[in-house]
Amino acid sequence: MNPFQSIYELVGENTIRQLATYFYEEVAMNAELRKRYPEEDLKPAERRLYLFLLQVFGGPQTYSEERGHPRLRMRHLNWKIDGTMRNHWLNAMLAAMDRLSLEPEARELMLGYFVKVANHMINHE
Ligand code: HEM
């Protein structure tokens, strides 16, 4: 089993929902990041992230039922993502994580996952 898939069991659904909510609150407060998100209303994006994280962290597979295979890197080709943008994204996620009282084990697993995937999302120098 992929180690990230134990996160759902460690923290539960509500914590993952809260993480997505806090993340998009951080996005709304960051001008550089906010202008990457084309939609006026961030709630639909928040729900997609929530369902996606539930799935990769070992919970229900609702994301793929609704959206199909994640193909995350391909979906992100719509936006120019360089190292600076990655840092904005990761900072917003770190701030969101800091607002939750996570067990150290869950925190380390999440952090490892987010750093890895955010690096993988870079598609521009
Ligand atoms: C590194 C910088 C990143 C930027 C600038 C970025 C930006 C975006 C933008 C603008 C969207 C469209 C919002 C929407 O769903 O309507 C999006 C979608 C999404 N992002 Fe990112 N993203 C980044 C990294 C990541 C990472 C690391 C993850 C996962 C851990 C992620 C997960 C998602 C998901 C699940 C969606 C919705 C995909 C869909 O079903 O359409 N993103 N991202």
Side-chain angles (χ1 to χ4, degrees), residues 74-109:
M74 199 190 77
R75 289 186 203 256
H76 283 77
L77 294 178
N78 291 335
W79 307 286
K80 211 164 89 181
I81 301 178
D82 59 11
T84 305
M85 201 47 63
R86 179 226 26 218
N87 295 348
H88 283 298
W89 193 99
L90 272 178
N91 281 333
M93 189 49 87
L94 262 175
M97 286 172 61
D98 283 346
R99 291 166 66 186
L100 298 166
S101 312
L102 295 167
E103 298 288 331
E105 188 188 352
R107 189 187 159 78
E108 283 307 302
L109 285 169

Side-chain angles (χ1 to χ4, degrees), residues 17-111:
R17 182 183 294 113
Q18 197 64 60
L19 180 67
T21 301
Y22 286 160
F23 174 76
Y24 274 103
E25 285 177 12
E26 298 294 329
V27 167
M29 289 189 284
N30 177 319
E32 276 308 302
L33 212 46
R34 182 65 183 88
K35 64 185 183 203
R36 295 291 137 148
Y37 288 80
E39 286 178 38
E40 202 51 48
D41 179 9
L42 291 175
K43 278 289 164 192
E46 178 185 319
R47 182 163 184 278
R48 287 190 279 273
L49 180 63
Y50 161 61
L51 292 180
F52 174 79
L53 292 178
L54 270 190
Q55 176 165 319
V56 292
F57 290 165
Q61 306 291 299
T62 319
Y63 175 87
S64 280
E65 283 160 23
E66 288 189 10
R67 309 280 296 160
H69 191 285
R71 297 183 210 283
L72 214 50
R73 192 167 192 282
M74 199 190 77
R75 289 186 203 256
H76 283 77
L77 294 178
N78 291 335
W79 307 286
K80 211 164 89 181
I81 301 178
D82 59 11
T84 305
M85 201 47 63
R86 179 226 26 218
N87 295 348
H88 283 298
W89 193 99
L90 272 178
N91 281 333
M93 189 49 87
L94 262 175
M97 286 172 61
D98 283 346
R99 291 166 66 186
L100 298 166
S101 312
L102 295 167
E103 298 288 331
E105 188 188 352
R107 189 187 159 78
E108 283 307 302
L109 285 169
M110 273 189 199
L111 197 55

Side-chain angles (χ1 to χ4, degrees), residues 1-21:
M1 186 176 88
N2 179 324
F4 313 125
Q5 288 182 302
S6 62
I7 296 174
Y8 175 79
E9 212 170 285
L10 286 172
V11 305
E13 188 162 326
N14 283 338
T15 299
I16 298 172
R17 182 183 294 113
Q18 197 64 60
L19 180 67
T21 301

